[in-house]
Amino acid sequence: MLSASRIKKIEDILPSSRIISSPAALLTYSTDASNLIGSPDIAVLPRNTEEVSKLLAWSYKERATVIPRGSGTGVTGGAVPVSGGMVLCLSQMDRILEIDRSNMLAVVEPGVITGDLQDEVEKLGLFYPPDPSSLKACTIGGNIAENAGGPKALKYGVTRDYCLGLEIALLDGQILHTGTRTQKSVVGYDLTRLLVGSEGTLGVITKVFLRLIHRPDAVCTMQAKFSSVEKAVAAINEIFRMGIIPSVMELMDEKSIKCVSSYLDLDFPKDKGAMLLIEVDGKPDNVREQADRIKTLLTCVFSEEVEEALTEEDREGIINFRRSISPAIYRIGKNKINEDICVPRDRLADCFGGLQKIAEKFDLKMANFGHAGDGNIHVNIMIDDKTKDGARAEAAVREIFKMTLAMGGTISGEHGIGVTKAPYLGMELDASSIRIMKEIKASFDPLGLLNPGKIFHNHPQMASSL
Ligand SMILES: Cc1cc2nc3c(=O)[nH]c(=O)nc-3n(C[C@H](O)[C@H](O)[C@H](O)COP(=O)(O)OP(=O)(O)OC[C@H]3O[C@@H](n4cnc5c(N)ncnc54)[C@H](O)[C@@H]3O)c2cc1C
């Protein structure tokens, strides 16, 4: 617990309007989309690197813990202050500093909202592809810290693939620069790649150099309805065998479809058990040809319905159906346990089958959907009563992870470990890997003050609104 006199010293660094200490206002900074709840002593809102550096130097001197935060849309508790301390919220460092068309890169502050950056670069005919479904709210800093993915990762890759370099404030206040403005650089260890996905445990991101590409000239969006998930997965595999790499390939199972149909008050054919959202993009002729081949395959070979978006409004409708899953699934349970396993694409059908069996074995409601093109499935276990269903749900999660790993998959494709997956880290990583990771953490943060309780530790005592 930080005493009032220690906190008072922060007023030498920031005006009091950007220091939050009242219990009511601190509630905003005590949680994220994981629903876990911590209790910060204070939250601060710096506006530049110098202020971040001074705040870190203060915390180092005071031995106070620091929790970096973007928008708090993380789903594994990464921004939750599990043991008090200072929440360092980067949301007011939100300037796009430069868009360099010649070198095709952008320089941004960490608090820039991902969707805003996309809109700005697209005005110039450029494209920043990483598109987490939370893109209208999450920050570039949070995306870098989590190595966020999204539907377009299938064709374009994840945040890591666009990060050329970083400015990082270290715990003692020093500023570190990694990477270059160039597309290539092989000088020394690749610290940029190490920091991307480090979940705010090694340093605070204060500036980001991002690679941009050309905006695709055309896009075609389709929605295909299938009688079963197995059939949808067979169609996915066939599309890849034809040599087409869609820019988006999203799969929803029957439970997810039913929830969204009811949420949006739409009729969805009762005999359909799966839905694919498919997008192809590129040069107009190429897009037309690929879309036609996909439509022929799905209608003639799979005898399933495909609807192509002919207007921007149609496209929004199809995308909105997929984007509405997160709020819609609360129709089948008050609380969500959200996992984001990833399996090799050719194991998708087995994985969906296995999930169904696990749901039946533990008598749990489960809705599954996700970025099927890259094998990334969002498994949502919906429970009403934590006391009654919590232990069963946890046992189911363990079994889901066992199945995923046996298929050569991973327990997190994009959400990171944070607090919620920390107890399962050892299921995927061997002891030597964990030891080396802890040594890396200690070399950046020997006192363990930066985002404690994340990745390596379990905090079963922490309050949760589940
Ligand atoms: C509806 C919904 C849909 C989502 N869809 C996707 C999806 O498709 N793909 C995907 O990958 N994720 C998705 N997410 C998860 C989440 O949006 C991402 O993890 C996102 O990158 C978090 O960004 P944020 O700004 O909200 O970060 P926060 O939640 O504030 O923080 C996340 C982590 O980053 C660290 N951090 C934040 N800023 C900094 C910084 N400047 N320096 C150092 N560390 C920092 C924090 O300490 C924490 O560990 C979704 C979440 C929701 C609620």
Side-chain angles (χ1 to χ4, degrees):
M1 180 85 180
L2 285 169
S3 65
S5 61
R6 288 164 81 201
I7 291 174
K8 188 98 186 102
K9 292 185 195 150
I10 297 177
E11 287 176 12
D12 294 339
I13 305 171
L14 291 186
S16 55
S17 58
R18 290 192 277 124
I19 303 171
I20 291 147
S21 55
S22 85
L26 278 176
L27 275 180
T28 308
Y29 302 92
S30 65
T31 187
D32 65 6
S34 68
N35 280 334
L36 297 169
I37 299 173
S39 12
D41 296 310
I42 189 166
V44 289
L45 295 158
R47 288 199 178 145
N48 55 51
T49 302
E50 195 187 342
E51 287 179 352
V52 174
S53 163
K54 285 183 178 164
L55 287 163
L56 288 174
W58 169 87
S59 63
Y60 188 64
K61 192 161 160 249
E62 296 289 333
R63 302 294 191 253
T65 56
V66 180
I67 304 92
R69 179 184 177 94
S71 292
T73 68
V75 288
T76 54
V80 177
V82 293
S83 47
M86 174 174 78
V87 172
L88 185 63
C89 182
L90 285 303
S91 62
Q92 295 198 4
M93 287 179 67
D94 60 354
R95 287 175 307 153
I96 297 175
L97 300 171
E98 188 184 342
I99 298 177
D100 177 346
R101 286 179 84 172
S102 311
N103 293 302
M104 298 190 52
L105 65 86
V107 185
V108 304
E109 291 184 332
V112 169
I113 301 294
T114 310
D116 292 348
L117 174 66
Q118 289 183 335
D119 292 345
E120 285 308 306
V121 303
E122 283 181 31
K123 284 181 197 159
L124 302 172
L126 297 170
F127 188 36
Y128 176 68
D131 59 341
S133 304
S134 51
L135 62 84
K136 292 207 163 97
C138 64
T139 64
I140 291 290
N143 293 174
I144 298 278
E146 296 288 356
N147 188 19
K152 291 205 169 73
L154 170 61
K155 179 170 177 182
Y156 292 104
V158 293
T159 303
R160 174 193 290 129
D161 302 308
Y162 293 85
C163 186
L164 292 170
L166 293 168
E167 178 186 88
I168 299 278
L170 299 176
L171 194 62
D172 58 4
Q174 277 187 74
I175 303 299
L176 176 80
H177 294 95
T178 76
T180 60
R181 291 175 74 100
T182 57
Q183 301 285 330
K184 291 162 106 182
S185 168
V186 287
V187 181
Y189 294 138
D190 191 341
L191 294 180
T192 309
R193 284 212 155 211
L194 173 64
L195 288 156
V196 176
S198 62
E199 302 192 27
T201 61
L202 302 181
V204 177
I205 302 155
T206 48
K207 200 186 282 180
V208 187
F209 293 75
L210 293 169
R211 186 167 76 88
L212 304 174
I213 59 175
H214 285 294
R215 190 183 62 195
D217 295 327
V219 58
C220 175
T221 307
M222 292 163 276
Q223 187 188 61
K225 298 170 180 130
F226 292 84
S227 52
S228 67
V229 164
E230 290 72 25
K231 224 170 157 190
V233 170
I236 294 172
N237 288 328
E238 204 44 51
I239 290 169
F240 282 97
R241 263 195 288 274
M242 292 192 317
I244 298 175
I245 302 197
S247 49
V248 172
M249 176 76 93
E250 297 284 298
L251 173 64
M252 290 169 68
D253 74 357
E254 189 177 0
K255 268 261 169 32
S256 313
I257 295 168
K258 282 190 174 150
C259 291
V260 176
S261 303
S262 139
Y263 178 73
L264 296 176
D265 202 14
L266 293 172
D267 278 335
F268 201 91
K270 299 233 171 339
D271 58 336
K272 298 296 179 193
M275 197 210 84
L276 279 184
L277 158 60
I278 308 168
E279 259 184 13
V280 283
D281 68 6
K283 295 280 173 212
D285 289 354
N286 202 14
V287 167
R288 188 66 268 147
E289 190 222 324
Q290 294 191 348
D292 287 344
R293 287 174 67 203
I294 291 174
K295 281 166 78 177
T296 306
L297 172 84
L298 299 184
T299 48
C300 301
V301 181
F302 285 91
S303 310
E304 297 286 9
E305 277 172 56
V306 196
E307 185 192 322
E308 177 181 334
L310 299 174
T311 62
E312 194 47 41
E313 201 186 344
D314 290 349
R315 179 169 186 252
E316 252 322 297
I318 292 176
I319 292 174
N320 191 40
F321 195 89
R322 162 66 182 85
R323 283 223 180 108
S324 301
I325 304 181
S326 290
I329 52 178
Y330 284 98
R331 306 221 143 190
I332 57 167
K334 286 190 202 124
N335 305 292
K336 176 166 75 171
I337 295 167
N338 172 6
E339 302 301 342
D340 70 318
I341 54 171
C342 195
V343 294
R345 203 168 44 229
D346 66 354
R347 302 304 305 270
L348 266 178
D350 299 337
C351 186
F352 270 94
L355 289 171
Q356 173 73 27
K357 284 193 191 128
I358 292 170
E360 282 162 16
K361 175 174 167 186
F362 291 96
D363 190 21
L364 289 165
K365 287 184 211 148
M366 218 187 259
N368 305 314
F369 60 90
H371 317 310
D374 46 27
N376 191 189
I377 306 167
H378 293 285
V379 179
N380 294 274
I381 301 174
M382 303 306 295
I383 58 176
D384 280 328
D385 184 342
K386 194 188 163 200
T387 324
K388 200 168 121 257
D389 306 322
R392 256 182 312 127
E394 208 179 307
V397 167
R398 203 163 271 280
E399 200 146 320
I400 290 167
F401 287 165
K402 255 194 220 160
M403 174 190 75
T404 305
L405 294 168
M407 289 180 180
T410 173
I411 64 173
S412 178
E414 55 185 23
H415 291 164
I417 296 300
V419 180
T420 60
K421 286 199 180 67
Y424 310 103
L425 191 74
M427 287 180 77
E428 179 161 338
L429 300 181
D430 59 31
S432 304
S433 303
I434 295 177
R435 176 183 53 76
I436 292 170
M437 288 184 192
K438 284 185 172 171
E439 284 168 7
I440 291 171
K441 164 76 177 161
S443 74
F444 275 84
D445 175 18
L447 301 177
L449 297 174
L450 195 54
N451 216 0
K454 312 298 158 69
I455 305 179
F456 303 112
H457 307 281
N458 187 8
H459 281 261
Q461 78 279 12
M462 201 173 41
S464 155
S465 68
L466 260 183

